[in-house]
């Protein structure tokens, strides 16, 4: 029993799950049952993937012991590259990979600079936040490019599907990515190296793990997911605005942290990051339904982030103090 | 005598930005012996160990392993050859389970493409427990986090890992630092048991009592050179302390 309790208390996403249940209940009562009705859930699930995809990448990178503040800018840059090419009449099947390629290039640059010059990724990616945002504005010329009608296969990414049109296609893409990245982290040797690299770098190095390459791969995956998420948003909106994704980098970090990811690396789960993202969407939506002034959203988000980390730290300490026999 | 040497170090040099850390070190390490390496901070013993374990590369000289010239470009090369190093802290990730720690970098895979693949977790759990039992360490679960083990248990897991991968030479770099007395006894016991299993041990410690307790031969280093190389029974603690 005690053993079981300890195992659950050590799950980093536990606090996030509890918050989600509590807030869900409160909003459901407050809104008189509107919160969980089909239409509202459809609204939450329709917007969720865009943020949750970014949160998945940021969570993975944080578990690897690094940090990415440039995801919000990549979120705009990737679809802008695609949009500019589409406006020039380039086919989607070239423009879409070109956009994702730009995202990968940003990730590669972040990784190489961080490792080659041995500087904190906080600084590298803070710089990249400005660089990528500026690049987005420059290539767009300040105006959203005119994407020809039907140039994007929107059906494959944002159309409503499922019983009662419950989901958008983007939700299925998100589910597939979430499962793949979770398996990558939890079941593959690469995942083991990511955790070791973020958990204790000297040990990973002394066991012969190519830690530089592992980190660069995580930077690239993080950027790729941010770019993909931005592309989905642009397909939903129909035009790439140079300003989308501003502030998203901090929401993604908040999602990861609320979901139990440690800033120091090594601790966290993809599921936790997703739960954090769901929580942020739920707060956003629930406050509106409860007729609370929308200006309170950031206050709630900020409060929850700090509170979640305190609760997580407390749980971890309690679980550790709970002595169970390690010897048989 | 060089016929039964498992490692032959010849005229090894290493500079660190102007500092001559190893000044032509030559050393034979015989198969199956337990060698104690002592020396003050900056004597060059860590540099020598880092070169043998592949973390650093020498600027001059050569190393032969089992009669063949070798050059270790990284720790993995040394591990693949059969040289495993156990550091005082550096060999385990506290936030990961015992089973995952055992196989870091050498995970058994069910299927893989380009070196990335799905881990065989059942095999990892079973082999981890077996490896622990083999060094007489009885832990309840391979899923326990290494961070929850005592210092002595952690060193036990590291040693079990080295045994599991059939290493021929085990380098133990200050494995008893910061351990309680009882834990230290246990780790010294591990080191003594290596001999019976035919594993060559290189034991580095500040504590000269520990070195005398469990090795056959003492090599003392000072200022980048070997200053004493004698069998334990031919020397004394006073003599070793004198040359340091």
């Amino acid at each position: 029993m005690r053993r079981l309790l300890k195992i659950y208390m050590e799950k980093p996403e536990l606090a996030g799950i509890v918050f989600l249940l509590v807030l869900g209940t409160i909003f459901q009562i407050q809104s008189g049952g509107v919160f969980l009705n089909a239409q509202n859930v459809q609204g939450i699930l329709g917007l969720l993937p865009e943020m949750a995809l970014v949160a998945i990448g940021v969570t993975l990178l944080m578990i690897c012991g690094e940090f990415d503040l440039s995801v919000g800018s990549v979120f705009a840059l990737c679809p802008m590259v695609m949009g500019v090419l589409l406006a020039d009449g380039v086919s989607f099947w070239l423009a879409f990979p070109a956009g994702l390629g730009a995202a990968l290039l940003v990730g590669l640059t972040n990784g190489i600079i961080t490792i080659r010059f041995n500087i904190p990724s906080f600084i590298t990616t803070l710089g990249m936040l400005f660089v990528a945002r500026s690049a987005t504005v420059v290539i767009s010329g300040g105006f959203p490019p005119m994407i020809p009608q039907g140039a994007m296969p929107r059906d494959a990414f944002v159309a409503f599907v499922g019983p009662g049109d419950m989901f958008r296609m983007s939700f299925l893409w998100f589910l597939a990515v979430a499962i793949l990245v979770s398996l990558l982290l939890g079941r593959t040797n690469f995942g083991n190296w990511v955790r070791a690299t973020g958990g204790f770098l000297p040990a990973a190095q002394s066991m012969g793990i190519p830690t530089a390459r592992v980190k660069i791969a995580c930077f690239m995956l993080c950027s790729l997911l941010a770019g993909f998420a931005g592309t989905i948003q642009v397909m939903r909106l129909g035009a790439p605005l140079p300003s989308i994704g501003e502030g998203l980098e901090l929401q993604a970090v908040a999602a990861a942290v609320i979901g139990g990811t440690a800033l120091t690396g090594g601790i966290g789960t993809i599921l936790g990051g997703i739960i954090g993202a769901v929580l942020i969407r739920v707060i956003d939506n629930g406050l509106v339904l409860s007729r609370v002034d929308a200006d309170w959203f950031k206050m709630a988000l900020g409060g929850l982030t700090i509170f979640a980390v305190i609760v997580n730290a407390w749980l971890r300490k309690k679980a550790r103090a709970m002595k169970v026999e390690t010897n048989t | 005598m060089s016929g039964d040497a498992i490692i032959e170090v010849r005229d090894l040099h290493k500079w660190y930005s102007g500092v001559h850390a190893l000044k032509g070190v030559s050393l034979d390490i015989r198969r199956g012996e337990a060698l104690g390496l002592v020396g003050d901070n900056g004597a060059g013993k860590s540099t020598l160990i880092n070169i043998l374990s592949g973390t650093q590369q020498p600027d001059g000289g050569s190393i032969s392993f089992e009669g063949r010239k070798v050059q270790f470009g990284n720790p993995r090369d040394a591990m693949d050859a059969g040289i495993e190093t156990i550091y005082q802290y550096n060999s385990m990730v506290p936030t990961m389970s015992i089973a995952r720690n055992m196989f870091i970098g050498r995970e058994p895979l069910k299927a893989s493409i380009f070196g990335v693949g799905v881990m065989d977790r059942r095999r990892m759990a079973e082999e981890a427990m077996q490896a622990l039992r083999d060094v007489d360490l009885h832990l309840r679960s391979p899923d326990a986090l290494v961070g929850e083990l005592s210092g002595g248990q952690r060193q036990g897991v590291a040693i079990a890992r080295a045994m599991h991968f059939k290493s021929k030479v085990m380098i133990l770099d200050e494995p008893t630092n910061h351990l309680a007395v009882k834990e230290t006894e246990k780790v010294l016991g591990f080191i003594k048991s290596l001999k019976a299993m035919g594993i060559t041990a290189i034991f580095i410690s500040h504590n000269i009592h520990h070195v005398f307790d469990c090795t056959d031969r003492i090599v003392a280093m000072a200022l980048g050179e070997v200053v004493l190389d004698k069998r334990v029974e031919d020397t004394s603690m006073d003599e070793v302390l004198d040359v340091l």
Side-chain angles (χ1 to χ4, degrees):
Chain A
M1 183 57 216
R2 215 173 148 70
R3 192 169 193 82
L4 212 63
L5 187 65
K6 183 178 163 78
I7 288 172
Y8 277 99
M9 277 170 69
E10 271 173 351
K11 294 240 181 259
E13 62 271 25
L14 174 74
I17 294 175
V18 173
F19 286 141
L20 190 57
L21 292 177
V22 170
L23 277 177
T25 314
I26 292 175
F27 286 140
Q28 176 71 358
I29 295 166
Q30 279 268 318
S31 64
V34 177
F35 178 68
L36 283 180
N37 77 11
Q39 209 184 349
N40 194 48
V41 171
Q42 183 198 40
I44 294 177
L45 293 184
L47 293 184
L48 173 71
E50 293 158 20
M51 211 209 121
L53 282 169
V54 180
I56 290 174
V58 168
T59 304
L60 178 73
L61 186 60
M62 281 174 70
I63 293 172
C64 192
E66 297 292 344
F67 206 76
D68 192 350
L69 287 175
S70 68
V71 285
S73 300
V74 173
F75 188 88
L77 176 65
C78 169
M80 186 59 78
V81 168
M82 179 185 82
V84 168
L85 290 173
L86 286 176
D88 278 351
V90 176
S91 127
F92 174 82
W93 300 110
L94 280 175
F96 179 58
L100 295 180
L104 283 173
L105 195 66
V106 171
L108 180 67
T109 312
N110 281 339
I112 288 179
I113 291 178
T114 301
I115 283 152
R116 176 68 186 78
F117 298 103
N118 196 19
I119 56 176
S121 48
F122 187 91
I123 303 298
T124 317
T125 59
L126 177 64
M128 189 56 82
L129 178 154
F130 296 117
V131 171
R133 180 66 66 184
S134 175
T136 310
V137 179
V138 168
I139 62 169
S140 73
F143 294 96
M146 293 295 289
I147 297 179
Q149 201 76 38
M152 295 186 288
R154 299 183 61 199
D155 285 352
F157 292 94
V158 290
F160 284 104
V161 289
D165 281 351
M166 188 55 112
F167 311 112
R168 280 181 185 269
M169 277 301 289
S170 57
F171 187 75
L172 301 183
W173 281 98
F174 151 71
L175 269 190
V177 169
I179 291 168
L180 274 177
V181 178
S182 296
L183 290 178
L184 182 70
L185 184 63
R187 299 292 173 89
T188 68
N189 54 350
F190 179 77
N192 217 29
W193 303 348
V194 168
R195 238 176 235 293
T197 302
F200 191 40
L201 190 64
Q205 282 169 336
S206 73
M207 294 310 291
I209 292 187
T211 53
R213 263 182 286 164
V214 169
K215 284 189 174 187
I216 290 174
C218 287
F219 271 113
M220 291 176 75
L221 206 54
C222 178
S223 275
L224 179 70
L225 290 180
F228 182 54
T231 307
I232 286 176
Q233 179 162 93
V234 164
M235 291 211 209
R236 181 167 62 80
L237 299 175
L241 302 173
S243 61
I244 57 171
E246 270 175 2
L248 189 62
E249 56 282 332
L250 298 181
Q251 285 195 25
V253 172
V257 165
I258 290 170
T261 310
L263 230 60
T264 45
I267 299 174
T269 59
I270 299 299
L271 178 64
I274 293 170
I275 288 170
V278 173
L279 258 170
I280 291 174
R281 294 264 38 104
V282 161
I283 293 173
D284 191 7
N285 177 274
L287 288 181
V288 174
L289 288 185
S290 314
R291 299 185 191 178
V292 177
D293 191 335
D295 294 335
W296 288 92
F297 167 63
K298 283 188 178 164
M299 174 105 60
L301 175 56
L304 178 70
T305 306
I306 296 171
F307 187 57
V309 173
I310 293 172
V311 170
N312 270 323
W314 181 81
L315 275 176
R316 213 166 289 148
K317 209 174 111 196
K318 281 282 161 199
R320 183 161 291 209
M322 207 184 269
K323 280 283 165 227
V324 289
E325 282 298 302
T326 45
N327 284 311
T328 45
Chain B
M1 275 311 273
S2 71
D4 62 345
I6 186 162
I7 297 177
E8 292 167 59
V9 174
R10 286 290 171 272
D11 197 28
L12 215 57
H13 288 271
K14 178 77 186 175
W15 280 270
Y16 295 113
S17 53
V19 179
H20 203 172
L22 284 187
K23 300 171 185 164
V25 168
S26 295
L27 188 62
D28 280 357
I29 298 160
R30 279 180 278 280
R31 192 180 291 276
E33 85 175 334
L35 182 91
L37 190 56
V38 295
D40 218 338
N41 288 339
K45 56 189 195 321
S46 296
T47 306
L48 176 61
I49 291 318
N50 285 340
I51 291 171
L52 286 178
S53 64
T55 3
Q56 290 179 346
Q57 284 69 46
D59 295 316
S62 69
I63 299 170
S64 302
F65 185 72
E66 298 191 305
R68 269 194 307 255
K69 281 243 175 1
V70 287
Q71 274 180 322
F72 299 138
N74 56 53
R76 191 57 193 268
D77 288 348
M79 282 155 68
D80 289 345
I83 301 179
E84 193 99 7
T85 309
I86 293 163
Y87 302 89
Q88 64 174 296
Y89 302 114
N90 292 3
S91 43
M92 294 275 152
V93 182
T95 51
M96 288 166 66
S97 71
I98 294 173
R100 280 177 175 245
N101 262 295
M102 280 285 230
F103 291 93
I104 291 176
R106 290 179 286 199
E107 297 85 355
L109 301 177
K110 286 184 196 162
S112 70
I113 15 168
F114 303 122
V116 174
V118 180
M119 294 185 289
D120 190 341
R121 291 186 304 158
R122 214 177 82 193
R123 202 177 126 199
M124 283 166 66
E126 284 169 5
E127 289 186 6
M129 290 312 273
Q130 186 55 49
L132 292 177
R133 279 193 294 273
D134 288 347
V135 296
D136 204 29
L137 197 60
H138 298 277
L139 300 174
R140 192 193 289 266
S141 160
D143 299 323
L145 297 185
V146 163
E148 298 190 346
L149 302 180
S150 70
Q153 286 172 327
R154 280 188 219 195
Q155 297 298 23
V157 175
I159 290 168
R161 173 168 69 188
M163 310 275 297
H164 179 74
F165 286 101
K166 311 249 177 297
S167 64
K168 297 164 189 157
V169 176
M170 218 180 280
I171 301 173
L172 301 114
D173 191 0
E174 305 274 2
T176 53
N177 264 20
H178 309 294
L179 292 188
V181 176
K182 231 177 122 185
E183 303 254 81
T184 302
E185 291 295 318
K186 182 108 181 158
V187 171
L188 293 180
F190 280 136
I191 298 170
K192 286 177 197 159
S193 67
L194 293 178
K195 197 166 180 60
M197 291 177 276
I199 294 170
T200 311
I202 302 174
F203 177 39
I204 298 105
S205 181
H206 275 101
N207 189 322
I208 203 150
H209 296 274
H210 294 168
V211 176
F212 267 82
D213 186 28
C214 59
T215 58
D216 310 321
R217 184 176 146 213
I218 310 274
V219 170
M221 290 182 72
L223 299 170
E225 287 173 295
V226 173
V227 290
L228 179 141
D229 182 349
K230 282 186 174 174
R231 298 198 57 76
V232 169
E233 56 269 25
D234 300 335
T235 183
S236 65
M237 289 192 200
D238 289 335
E239 187 186 1
V240 173
L241 287 172
D242 262 357
V243 299
L244 290 184

